[in-house]
Amino acid sequence: MTEGSFLHELTGSMSQGAAGNPTVAMIEAAFAHHGLHWRYVNMEVTPENLVAAVRGAKAMGFRGFNCSLPHKVTVIPHLDGLGESAALMGAVNCVVRRGDKFVGENTDGKGFLKSLETAIDPKGKSVVLFGAGGAARAIAVELGLAGTKRITIVNRSEARGAELVALLREKLKLDAELVVWSGDYAVPTGTDVVINGTSIGLYAPEARLALDLTSLKPGMVVADVVFSPVRTKFLDDASARGCRAIDGLGMLVNQGIVGVEYWTGITPDAAVMRKALETAMGL
Ligand code: NDP
């Protein structure tokens, strides 16, 4: 540790296009609220500089960092180990110093789960999940680890969907099936949770999921990964049908909470973090 660094424990985020990231405001609000003399700084790291950046963070005593696209997979060979779900997903968005080791974790799915659990315990439940990209993959793996009974992956690209279903079946022994998405999908009777894990609706308030809305029944829990707008058309339509809606901001706040817990060992105040995030996003 360099002289003077006793004032601050450092964490950070490695991404491309790092400017103006509301996550910084959210994490630093948590540090300030809990009297932690820590900093969370945002650094733009290009792919060719990733190895040097990870080594540098270790050398400078960083307690950890988030990494976003395009580093979530390529960072893995430069770490000392992986947490259970990150190993299953093959993607890391949160690095945690444990002793002298940098361990890769994935907080996206964990954040989603925490948010979902405010409405329903996914254990033993049947879930329909739209999407098979990074976010959907993280969510599906955490749902599997949490004891979800059945997952139907509904995805446009068959190859991507099949890859996720194979992972769920082979590594988590889950009852998982793929529906290749074409036309309006009808949610099967008996489904407990319906999740939009695609980017449909991101910055597009009018965008609709190809979904037969009459198949959404009162009492179903409906969740969206999209956080801008916070109230997506999908959530509005589902609420109008009597479903309980969980927005994507909850996932974003909770993945931040899990990160702070990993780094500092304290559970931060969720309301403080959500408020800071909303302010930074101009909500
Ligand atoms: P990816 O690019 O990895 O995956 C995108 C997914 O959306 C794929 O399944 C893709 O299907 C599907 N998709 C995109 N456009 C369409 C379309 N027009 N019709 C049908 N399917 C479509 O993205 P990520 O998984 O990383 O991110 C997805 C969303 O999750 C983003 O909006 C992101 O902002 C959000 N997110 C939110 C977080 C939070 O904390 N709230 C955290 C992380 C992500 P296909 O395979 O066929 O291409």
Side-chain angles (χ1 to χ4, degrees), residues 87-143:
L88 285 166
M89 289 165 210
V92 162
N93 77 331
C94 182
V95 173
V96 187
R97 180 185 288 267
R98 295 192 180 123
D100 62 351
K101 299 201 184 324
F102 265 175
V103 179
E105 298 281 0
N106 196 306
T107 58
D108 280 336
K110 293 183 200 302
F112 177 84
L113 216 67
K114 259 180 183 271
S115 184
L116 183 71
E117 281 166 353
T118 61
I120 191 170
D121 177 357
K123 192 170 173 31
K125 303 295 191 303
S126 288
V127 175
V128 166
L129 173 58
F130 292 97
R137 204 175 160 88
I139 289 167
V141 166
E142 293 295 349
L143 285 172

CSV table of all heavy atoms in Angstrom, one decimal, residues 87-143:
chain,number,residue,atom,x,y,z
A,87,ALA,N,-18.4,-19.5,-12.1
A,87,ALA,CA,-17.8,-20.6,-12.9
A,87,ALA,C,-18.8,-21.3,-13.8
A,87,ALA,O,-18.5,-21.7,-14.9
A,87,ALA,CB,-17.2,-21.6,-11.8
A,88,LEU,N,-20.0,-21.4,-13.3
A,88,LEU,CA,-21.1,-22.1,-14.1
A,88,LEU,C,-21.4,-21.2,-15.3
A,88,LEU,O,-21.6,-21.7,-16.4
A,88,LEU,CB,-22.4,-22.3,-13.2
A,88,LEU,CG,-22.3,-23.4,-12.2
A,88,LEU,CD1,-23.4,-23.3,-11.2
A,88,LEU,CD2,-22.4,-24.7,-12.9
A,89,MET,N,-21.5,-19.9,-15.1
A,89,MET,CA,-21.9,-19.0,-16.2
A,89,MET,C,-20.8,-18.7,-17.1
A,89,MET,O,-21.0,-18.4,-18.3
A,89,MET,CB,-22.3,-17.6,-15.6
A,89,MET,CG,-23.5,-17.6,-14.8
A,89,MET,SD,-23.5,-16.0,-13.9
A,89,MET,CE,-24.5,-16.5,-12.5
A,90,GLY,N,-19.5,-18.8,-16.6
A,90,GLY,CA,-18.4,-18.5,-17.5
A,90,GLY,C,-18.3,-17.0,-17.7
A,90,GLY,O,-17.8,-16.5,-18.7
A,91,ALA,N,-18.8,-16.2,-16.7
A,91,ALA,CA,-18.7,-14.7,-16.8
A,91,ALA,C,-18.6,-14.1,-15.4
A,91,ALA,O,-19.2,-14.6,-14.5
A,91,ALA,CB,-20.0,-14.2,-17.5
A,92,VAL,N,-17.8,-13.1,-15.4
A,92,VAL,CA,-17.5,-12.4,-14.1
A,92,VAL,C,-17.8,-10.9,-14.2
A,92,VAL,O,-17.5,-10.3,-15.2
A,92,VAL,CB,-16.0,-12.5,-13.8
A,92,VAL,CG1,-15.5,-11.5,-12.7
A,92,VAL,CG2,-15.7,-13.9,-13.3
A,93,ASN,N,-18.6,-10.4,-13.3
A,93,ASN,CA,-18.8,-8.9,-13.3
A,93,ASN,C,-18.3,-8.2,-12.0
A,93,ASN,O,-18.4,-7.0,-11.9
A,93,ASN,CB,-20.3,-8.6,-13.6
A,93,ASN,CG,-21.1,-8.7,-12.3
A,93,ASN,OD1,-20.8,-9.6,-11.5
A,93,ASN,ND2,-22.2,-8.0,-12.2
A,94,CYS,N,-17.8,-9.1,-11.1
A,94,CYS,CA,-17.4,-8.5,-9.8
A,94,CYS,C,-16.2,-9.3,-9.3
A,94,CYS,O,-16.3,-10.5,-9.2
A,94,CYS,CB,-18.5,-8.6,-8.8
A,94,CYS,SG,-18.2,-7.9,-7.2
A,95,VAL,N,-15.1,-8.6,-9.1
A,95,VAL,CA,-13.9,-9.3,-8.6
A,95,VAL,C,-13.7,-8.9,-7.1
A,95,VAL,O,-13.8,-7.7,-6.8
A,95,VAL,CB,-12.7,-8.9,-9.5
A,95,VAL,CG1,-11.4,-9.4,-8.9
A,95,VAL,CG2,-12.9,-9.4,-10.9
A,96,VAL,N,-13.3,-9.9,-6.3
A,96,VAL,CA,-13.2,-9.7,-4.9
A,96,VAL,C,-11.9,-10.1,-4.4
A,96,VAL,O,-11.5,-11.3,-4.7
A,96,VAL,CB,-14.3,-10.5,-4.1
A,96,VAL,CG1,-14.4,-10.1,-2.7
A,96,VAL,CG2,-15.7,-10.2,-4.8
A,97,ARG,N,-11.2,-9.3,-3.6
A,97,ARG,CA,-9.9,-9.7,-3.0
A,97,ARG,C,-10.2,-10.6,-1.8
A,97,ARG,O,-10.9,-10.1,-0.9
A,97,ARG,CB,-9.0,-8.5,-2.6
A,97,ARG,CG,-7.7,-8.9,-2.0
A,97,ARG,CD,-6.9,-7.7,-1.5
A,97,ARG,NE,-6.4,-6.9,-2.6
A,97,ARG,CZ,-5.2,-7.1,-3.1
A,97,ARG,NH1,-4.4,-8.0,-2.7
A,97,ARG,NH2,-4.8,-6.3,-4.1
A,98,ARG,N,-9.7,-11.8,-1.8
A,98,ARG,CA,-9.8,-12.7,-0.6
A,98,ARG,C,-8.4,-13.1,-0.3
A,98,ARG,O,-7.8,-13.9,-1.0
A,98,ARG,CB,-10.7,-13.9,-0.9
A,98,ARG,CG,-12.1,-13.4,-1.1
A,98,ARG,CD,-13.2,-14.6,-1.1
A,98,ARG,NE,-14.5,-14.0,-1.4
A,98,ARG,CZ,-15.3,-14.3,-2.4
A,98,ARG,NH1,-15.0,-15.3,-3.2
A,98,ARG,NH2,-16.5,-13.7,-2.5
A,99,GLY,N,-7.8,-12.6,0.8
A,99,GLY,CA,-6.4,-12.8,1.1
A,99,GLY,C,-5.6,-12.1,0.0
A,99,GLY,O,-5.8,-10.9,-0.3
A,100,ASP,N,-4.7,-12.9,-0.6
A,100,ASP,CA,-3.9,-12.3,-1.7
A,100,ASP,C,-4.5,-12.7,-3.1
A,100,ASP,O,-3.8,-12.5,-4.1
A,100,ASP,CB,-2.4,-12.6,-1.5
A,100,ASP,CG,-2.2,-14.1,-1.6
A,100,ASP,OD1,-3.2,-14.9,-1.6
A,100,ASP,OD2,-1.1,-14.6,-1.7
A,101,LYS,N,-5.7,-13.2,-3.1
A,101,LYS,CA,-6.2,-13.7,-4.3
A,101,LYS,C,-7.4,-12.8,-4.8
A,101,LYS,O,-8.2,-12.2,-4.0
A,101,LYS,CB,-6.8,-15.1,-4.2
A,101,LYS,CG,-5.7,-16.1,-3.8
A,101,LYS,CD,-6.1,-17.5,-4.1
A,101,LYS,CE,-5.2,-18.6,-3.6
A,101,LYS,NZ,-3.8,-18.2,-3.7
A,102,PHE,N,-7.4,-12.6,-6.1
A,102,PHE,CA,-8.6,-12.0,-6.8
A,102,PHE,C,-9.5,-13.1,-7.3
A,102,PHE,O,-9.2,-13.9,-8.1
A,102,PHE,CB,-8.1,-11.1,-8.0
A,102,PHE,CG,-7.9,-9.7,-7.7
A,102,PHE,CD1,-7.4,-8.8,-8.7
A,102,PHE,CD2,-8.2,-9.1,-6.5
A,102,PHE,CE1,-7.1,-7.5,-8.4
A,102,PHE,CE2,-8.0,-7.8,-6.2
A,102,PHE,CZ,-7.4,-7.0,-7.2
A,103,VAL,N,-10.7,-13.1,-6.7
A,103,VAL,CA,-11.7,-14.1,-7.0
A,103,VAL,C,-12.9,-13.5,-7.8
A,103,VAL,O,-13.4,-12.5,-7.5
A,103,VAL,CB,-12.3,-14.8,-5.8
A,103,VAL,CG1,-13.3,-15.9,-6.1
A,103,VAL,CG2,-11.1,-15.4,-5.0
A,104,GLY,N,-13.2,-14.1,-8.9
A,104,GLY,CA,-14.3,-13.6,-9.8
A,104,GLY,C,-15.7,-14.1,-9.4
A,104,GLY,O,-15.9,-15.3,-9.2
A,105,GLU,N,-16.6,-13.2,-9.2
A,105,GLU,CA,-18.0,-13.5,-8.9
A,105,GLU,C,-18.9,-12.9,-9.9
A,105,GLU,O,-18.4,-12.1,-10.7
A,105,GLU,CB,-18.3,-12.9,-7.5
A,105,GLU,CG,-17.5,-13.4,-6.3
A,105,GLU,CD,-18.0,-14.8,-5.8
A,105,GLU,OE1,-18.9,-15.4,-6.4
A,105,GLU,OE2,-17.4,-15.3,-4.9
A,106,ASN,N,-20.1,-13.3,-9.9
A,106,ASN,CA,-21.1,-12.7,-10.8
A,106,ASN,C,-22.3,-12.3,-9.9
A,106,ASN,O,-23.0,-13.1,-9.3
A,106,ASN,CB,-21.5,-13.7,-11.9
A,106,ASN,CG,-22.2,-12.9,-13.0
A,106,ASN,OD1,-23.2,-12.1,-12.8
A,106,ASN,ND2,-21.7,-13.0,-14.2
A,107,THR,N,-22.5,-11.0,-9.9
A,107,THR,CA,-23.6,-10.4,-9.0
A,107,THR,C,-24.8,-10.1,-9.8
A,107,THR,O,-25.8,-9.8,-9.1
A,107,THR,CB,-23.1,-9.2,-8.3
A,107,THR,OG1,-22.7,-8.2,-9.3
A,107,THR,CG2,-21.9,-9.4,-7.4
A,108,ASP,N,-24.8,-10.2,-11.1
A,108,ASP,CA,-26.0,-9.9,-11.9
A,108,ASP,C,-27.2,-10.8,-11.5
A,108,ASP,O,-28.3,-10.3,-11.1
A,108,ASP,CB,-25.8,-10.0,-13.4
A,108,ASP,CG,-25.0,-8.8,-14.0
A,108,ASP,OD1,-25.1,-7.7,-13.4
A,108,ASP,OD2,-24.4,-9.0,-15.0
A,109,GLY,N,-27.0,-12.1,-11.5
A,109,GLY,CA,-28.1,-13.0,-11.2
A,109,GLY,C,-28.4,-12.9,-9.7
A,109,GLY,O,-29.6,-13.0,-9.4
A,110,LYS,N,-27.4,-12.8,-8.9
A,110,LYS,CA,-27.7,-12.7,-7.4
A,110,LYS,C,-28.5,-11.4,-7.1
A,110,LYS,O,-29.4,-11.5,-6.3
A,110,LYS,CB,-26.4,-12.6,-6.6
A,110,LYS,CG,-25.6,-13.9,-6.7
A,110,LYS,CD,-24.3,-13.8,-5.8
A,110,LYS,CE,-23.2,-14.8,-6.2
A,110,LYS,NZ,-23.7,-16.2,-6.1
A,111,GLY,N,-28.2,-10.3,-7.8
A,111,GLY,CA,-29.0,-9.1,-7.6
A,111,GLY,C,-30.4,-9.3,-8.1
A,111,GLY,O,-31.3,-8.8,-7.4
A,112,PHE,N,-30.6,-10.0,-9.2
A,112,PHE,CA,-31.9,-10.2,-9.7
A,112,PHE,C,-32.7,-11.0,-8.7
A,112,PHE,O,-33.9,-10.7,-8.4
A,112,PHE,CB,-31.9,-10.9,-11.1
A,112,PHE,CG,-33.3,-11.3,-11.5
A,112,PHE,CD1,-34.0,-10.3,-12.2
A,112,PHE,CD2,-33.8,-12.5,-11.2
A,112,PHE,CE1,-35.3,-10.6,-12.6
A,112,PHE,CE2,-35.1,-12.8,-11.6
A,112,PHE,CZ,-35.9,-11.8,-12.3
A,113,LEU,N,-32.0,-12.1,-8.2
A,113,LEU,CA,-32.7,-13.0,-7.2
A,113,LEU,C,-33.2,-12.3,-6.0
A,113,LEU,O,-34.3,-12.4,-5.5
A,113,LEU,CB,-31.8,-14.1,-6.9
A,113,LEU,CG,-32.4,-15.5,-6.7
A,113,LEU,CD1,-33.0,-16.0,-8.0
A,113,LEU,CD2,-31.4,-16.5,-6.1
A,114,LYS,N,-32.3,-11.4,-5.4
A,114,LYS,CA,-32.6,-10.6,-4.2
A,114,LYS,C,-33.9,-9.8,-4.5
A,114,LYS,O,-34.8,-9.7,-3.7
A,114,LYS,CB,-31.5,-9.7,-3.9
A,114,LYS,CG,-30.6,-10.2,-2.7
A,114,LYS,CD,-29.5,-9.1,-2.5
A,114,LYS,CE,-28.5,-9.5,-1.4
A,114,LYS,NZ,-28.9,-9.0,-0.1
A,115,SER,N,-33.9,-9.2,-5.7
A,115,SER,CA,-35.0,-8.3,-6.1
A,115,SER,C,-36.3,-9.2,-6.2
A,115,SER,O,-37.3,-8.8,-5.7
A,115,SER,CB,-34.7,-7.6,-7.4
A,115,SER,OG,-35.6,-6.7,-7.7
A,116,LEU,N,-36.2,-10.3,-6.9
A,116,LEU,CA,-37.3,-11.2,-7.1
A,116,LEU,C,-37.9,-11.7,-5.7
A,116,LEU,O,-39.1,-11.8,-5.6
A,116,LEU,CB,-36.9,-12.4,-8.0
A,116,LEU,CG,-38.0,-13.4,-8.3
A,116,LEU,CD1,-39.0,-12.7,-9.3
A,116,LEU,CD2,-37.4,-14.6,-8.9
A,117,GLU,N,-37.0,-12.0,-4.8
A,117,GLU,CA,-37.4,-12.5,-3.5
A,117,GLU,C,-38.2,-11.6,-2.7
A,117,GLU,O,-38.8,-12.0,-1.7
A,117,GLU,CB,-36.1,-13.0,-2.8
A,117,GLU,CG,-35.6,-14.4,-3.3
A,117,GLU,CD,-34.3,-14.8,-2.8
A,117,GLU,OE1,-33.6,-13.9,-2.1
A,117,GLU,OE2,-33.8,-15.9,-3.1
A,118,THR,N,-38.2,-10.3,-3.1
A,118,THR,CA,-39.1,-9.4,-2.4
A,118,THR,C,-40.6,-9.7,-2.7
A,118,THR,O,-41.5,-9.4,-2.0
A,118,THR,CB,-38.9,-7.9,-2.7
A,118,THR,OG1,-39.1,-7.7,-4.1
A,118,THR,CG2,-37.5,-7.5,-2.4
A,119,ALA,N,-40.8,-10.5,-3.8
A,119,ALA,CA,-42.2,-10.9,-4.2
A,119,ALA,C,-42.5,-12.3,-4.1
A,119,ALA,O,-43.6,-12.7,-3.8
A,119,ALA,CB,-42.4,-10.4,-5.6
A,120,ILE,N,-41.4,-13.2,-4.3
A,120,ILE,CA,-41.7,-14.6,-4.3
A,120,ILE,C,-40.4,-15.4,-4.1
A,120,ILE,O,-39.3,-15.0,-4.5
A,120,ILE,CB,-42.3,-15.0,-5.7
A,120,ILE,CG1,-42.8,-16.5,-5.7
A,120,ILE,CG2,-41.3,-14.8,-6.8
A,120,ILE,CD1,-43.7,-16.8,-6.9
A,121,ASP,N,-40.5,-16.6,-3.4
A,121,ASP,CA,-39.4,-17.5,-3.2
A,121,ASP,C,-39.4,-18.4,-4.5
A,121,ASP,O,-40.3,-19.1,-4.7
A,121,ASP,CB,-39.6,-18.3,-1.9
A,121,ASP,CG,-38.4,-19.3,-1.7
A,121,ASP,OD1,-37.6,-19.4,-2.6
A,121,ASP,OD2,-38.5,-20.0,-0.7
A,122,PRO,N,-38.3,-18.3,-5.3
A,122,PRO,CA,-38.3,-19.1,-6.5
A,122,PRO,C,-38.2,-20.6,-6.3
A,122,PRO,O,-38.4,-21.4,-7.3
A,122,PRO,CB,-37.1,-18.5,-7.3
A,122,PRO,CG,-36.2,-18.0,-6.3
A,122,PRO,CD,-37.1,-17.5,-5.1
A,123,LYS,N,-37.9,-21.0,-5.1
A,123,LYS,CA,-37.7,-22.5,-4.9
A,123,LYS,C,-39.0,-23.3,-5.2
A,123,LYS,O,-40.1,-22.9,-4.8
A,123,LYS,CB,-37.4,-22.7,-3.4
A,123,LYS,CG,-36.9,-24.1,-3.1
A,123,LYS,CD,-36.4,-24.1,-1.6
A,123,LYS,CE,-36.0,-25.4,-1.1
A,123,LYS,NZ,-35.7,-26.5,-1.2
A,124,GLY,N,-38.8,-24.3,-6.1
A,124,GLY,CA,-40.0,-25.1,-6.4
A,124,GLY,C,-40.9,-24.5,-7.4
A,124,GLY,O,-42.0,-25.0,-7.7
A,125,LYS,N,-40.6,-23.3,-8.0
A,125,LYS,CA,-41.5,-22.6,-8.9
A,125,LYS,C,-41.2,-22.9,-10.4
A,125,LYS,O,-40.1,-23.3,-10.7
A,125,LYS,CB,-41.4,-21.1,-8.6
A,125,LYS,CG,-41.7,-20.7,-7.2
A,125,LYS,CD,-43.1,-21.0,-6.8
A,125,LYS,CE,-43.5,-20.4,-5.5
A,125,LYS,NZ,-42.7,-20.7,-4.3
A,126,SER,N,-42.2,-22.6,-11.2
A,126,SER,CA,-42.0,-22.7,-12.7
A,126,SER,C,-41.8,-21.3,-13.3
A,126,SER,O,-42.6,-20.4,-13.0
A,126,SER,CB,-43.3,-23.3,-13.3
A,126,SER,OG,-43.3,-24.6,-13.0
A,127,VAL,N,-40.8,-21.2,-14.1
A,127,VAL,CA,-40.4,-19.8,-14.6
A,127,VAL,C,-40.3,-19.8,-16.1
A,127,VAL,O,-39.8,-20.8,-16.7
A,127,VAL,CB,-39.0,-19.5,-14.0
A,127,VAL,CG1,-38.5,-18.2,-14.6
A,127,VAL,CG2,-39.0,-19.4,-12.5
A,128,VAL,N,-40.8,-18.8,-16.7
A,128,VAL,CA,-40.6,-18.5,-18.1
A,128,VAL,C,-39.6,-17.4,-18.2
A,128,VAL,O,-39.8,-16.3,-17.6
A,128,VAL,CB,-41.9,-18.2,-18.9
A,128,VAL,CG1,-41.6,-17.6,-20.2
A,128,VAL,CG2,-42.8,-19.4,-19.0
A,129,LEU,N,-38.5,-17.6,-18.9
A,129,LEU,CA,-37.4,-16.5,-19.1
A,129,LEU,C,-37.2,-16.2,-20.5
A,129,LEU,O,-36.8,-17.1,-21.3
A,129,LEU,CB,-36.1,-17.1,-18.4
A,129,LEU,CG,-34.9,-16.2,-18.5
A,129,LEU,CD1,-35.1,-14.8,-18.0
A,129,LEU,CD2,-33.7,-16.9,-17.8
A,130,PHE,N,-37.5,-15.0,-20.9
A,130,PHE,CA,-37.2,-14.5,-22.3
A,130,PHE,C,-35.8,-14.1,-22.3
A,130,PHE,O,-35.3,-13.3,-21.5
A,130,PHE,CB,-38.1,-13.3,-22.6
A,130,PHE,CG,-39.6,-13.7,-22.8
A,130,PHE,CD1,-40.5,-13.5,-21.7
A,130,PHE,CD2,-40.1,-14.2,-24.0
A,130,PHE,CE1,-41.8,-13.8,-21.9
A,130,PHE,CE2,-41.4,-14.5,-24.1
A,130,PHE,CZ,-42.3,-14.3,-23.0
A,131,GLY,N,-35.0,-14.6,-23.3
A,131,GLY,CA,-33.6,-14.3,-23.5
A,131,GLY,C,-32.7,-15.3,-23.1
A,131,GLY,O,-33.0,-16.2,-22.3
A,132,ALA,N,-31.5,-15.3,-23.7
A,132,ALA,CA,-30.4,-16.3,-23.4
A,132,ALA,C,-29.1,-15.6,-23.5
A,132,ALA,O,-28.0,-16.2,-23.6
A,132,ALA,CB,-30.5,-17.4,-24.4
A,133,GLY,N,-29.0,-14.2,-23.4
A,133,GLY,CA,-27.8,-13.5,-23.4
A,133,GLY,C,-27.2,-13.5,-22.0
A,133,GLY,O,-27.5,-14.3,-21.1
A,134,GLY,N,-26.2,-12.6,-21.7
A,134,GLY,CA,-25.5,-12.5,-20.5
A,134,GLY,C,-26.4,-12.4,-19.3
A,134,GLY,O,-26.2,-13.1,-18.3
A,135,ALA,N,-27.4,-11.5,-19.3
A,135,ALA,CA,-28.2,-11.3,-18.1
A,135,ALA,C,-29.1,-12.5,-17.9
A,135,ALA,O,-29.3,-13.0,-16.8
A,135,ALA,CB,-29.1,-10.0,-18.4
A,136,ALA,N,-29.7,-13.0,-19.0
A,136,ALA,CA,-30.6,-14.2,-18.8
A,136,ALA,C,-29.8,-15.4,-18.3
A,136,ALA,O,-30.3,-16.2,-17.4
A,136,ALA,CB,-31.2,-14.5,-20.2
A,137,ARG,N,-28.6,-15.6,-18.8
A,137,ARG,CA,-27.8,-16.7,-18.4
A,137,ARG,C,-27.5,-16.6,-16.9
A,137,ARG,O,-27.6,-17.6,-16.1
A,137,ARG,CB,-26.5,-16.6,-19.2
A,137,ARG,CG,-25.7,-17.8,-19.3
A,137,ARG,CD,-24.5,-17.5,-20.3
A,137,ARG,NE,-23.5,-18.4,-20.1
A,137,ARG,CZ,-23.4,-19.6,-20.8
A,137,ARG,NH1,-24.3,-19.8,-21.7
A,137,ARG,NH2,-22.4,-20.4,-20.6
A,138,ALA,N,-27.1,-15.4,-16.4
A,138,ALA,CA,-26.8,-15.2,-15.0
A,138,ALA,C,-28.1,-15.5,-14.1
A,138,ALA,O,-28.0,-16.1,-13.1
A,138,ALA,CB,-26.4,-13.7,-14.8
A,139,ILE,N,-29.2,-15.0,-14.6
A,139,ILE,CA,-30.5,-15.2,-13.9
A,139,ILE,C,-30.8,-16.7,-13.8
A,139,ILE,O,-31.2,-17.2,-12.8
A,139,ILE,CB,-31.6,-14.4,-14.5
A,139,ILE,CG1,-31.4,-12.9,-14.3
A,139,ILE,CG2,-33.0,-14.8,-14.0
A,139,ILE,CD1,-32.3,-12.0,-15.1
A,140,ALA,N,-30.7,-17.4,-15.0
A,140,ALA,CA,-31.1,-18.8,-15.0
A,140,ALA,C,-30.2,-19.6,-14.1
A,140,ALA,O,-30.8,-20.5,-13.4
A,140,ALA,CB,-31.0,-19.3,-16.5
A,141,VAL,N,-29.0,-19.3,-14.1
A,141,VAL,CA,-28.1,-20.1,-13.2
A,141,VAL,C,-28.4,-19.9,-11.7
A,141,VAL,O,-28.5,-20.8,-11.0
A,141,VAL,CB,-26.6,-19.8,-13.5
A,141,VAL,CG1,-25.7,-20.3,-12.4
A,141,VAL,CG2,-26.2,-20.3,-14.8
A,142,GLU,N,-28.6,-18.6,-11.3
A,142,GLU,CA,-29.0,-18.4,-9.9
A,142,GLU,C,-30.3,-19.0,-9.6
A,142,GLU,O,-30.5,-19.5,-8.5
A,142,GLU,CB,-29.0,-16.9,-9.6
A,142,GLU,CG,-27.7,-16.2,-9.7
A,142,GLU,CD,-26.6,-16.6,-8.7
A,142,GLU,OE1,-27.0,-17.4,-7.7
A,142,GLU,OE2,-25.5,-16.3,-8.9
A,143,LEU,N,-31.3,-18.9,-10.5
A,143,LEU,CA,-32.6,-19.6,-10.2
A,143,LEU,C,-32.4,-21.1,-10.0
A,143,LEU,O,-33.0,-21.7,-9.1
A,143,LEU,CB,-33.6,-19.3,-11.4
A,143,LEU,CG,-34.2,-17.9,-11.5
A,143,LEU,CD1,-34.9,-17.8,-12.8
A,143,LEU,CD2,-35.1,-17.6,-10.3
